Amino acid sequence: MKWLACLALAGVVSAVSAETVRVCYNYGCLAEAEAHFDEARMTQLAAWLGAAQDAADERARLSLAVGWMLGWAGEQTPIAADRGGNFADQAAFGRMDCIDHSTTTTRLLRLLEARGWLRFHRVAEPAQRVLYLVQVHFSAQIEERAVPPEGGGTLAAPERHVVDSWFRDNGQPAVVMRLEEWLAGNEDQLEAVAIAGRSPD
């Protein structure tokens, strides 16, 4: 049975073609530039995401995949200068605020979704939170695909997670965590990236 799964994955990988995505920068999506992902890199993404065993594994893999894609985009656009948060890169050309990140990361996720490479999640509209009445923050967001419970019964409400690339420097894994924890500002309770540090090569 394993060989059938490998054969199916090989078919997906062989059908991969290049893609171009517009990335936002200089705060508030004031500027945009095109980032091109060639067939070799798209093939890496297809194989990497295709190996996910369940929703949690797919989220861990998405954390790295989004980091890789932003890093690859940084090789072609000014966003290589982006640093985590809004203070370490305030004067840098290519800096990104949460609007730049949430917009760009949503575009990247929708590219992966359109390719059929997200098997356990769908891409939702960006999430917004307000902390202490004045701290407004946005993030890309995904939702687990509903799985019918064994033996019938009603479907549980699908869990939502943010994919927040704003917290870390360009090219680093995105923060992926449950929406409720993110809304509460609990960034210290990040969903573990068990495969952090892995290289796409």
Side-chain angles (χ1 to χ4, degrees), residues 3 6 104 140 191:
W3 67 271
C6 290
T104 300
E191 206 167 287

Side-chain angles (χ1 to χ4, degrees), residues 7 32 36-38 44 53 62 67 79 86 91 93-94 117 124 145 155 157 167 181-182 190 193 195:
L7 206 58
E32 293 185 71
H36 183 73
F37 303 116
D38 62 28
Q44 288 176 333
Q53 299 298 306
L62 271 176
I79 69 169
N86 280 353
F93 184 76
W117 297 345
R145 295 187 186 277
L155 290 173
F167 290 102
E181 295 292 340
W182 180 83
L190 304 183
V193 180
I195 37 189

Side-chain angles (χ1 to χ4, degrees), residues 126-176:
Q128 176 184 353
R129 75 178 185 195
V130 181
L131 295 176
Y132 314 115
L133 300 178
V134 293
Q135 293 182 9
V136 181
H137 186 57
F138 296 88
S139 174
Q141 182 178 197
I142 55 176
E143 180 179 86
E144 280 192 35
R145 295 187 186 277
V147 178
E150 291 183 18
T154 57
L155 290 173
E159 281 194 3
R160 290 196 167 203
H161 295 76
V162 294
V163 181
D164 198 337
S165 51
W166 175 81
F167 290 102
R168 296 176 176 157
D169 293 354
N170 176 259
Q172 295 301 304
V175 167
V176 179

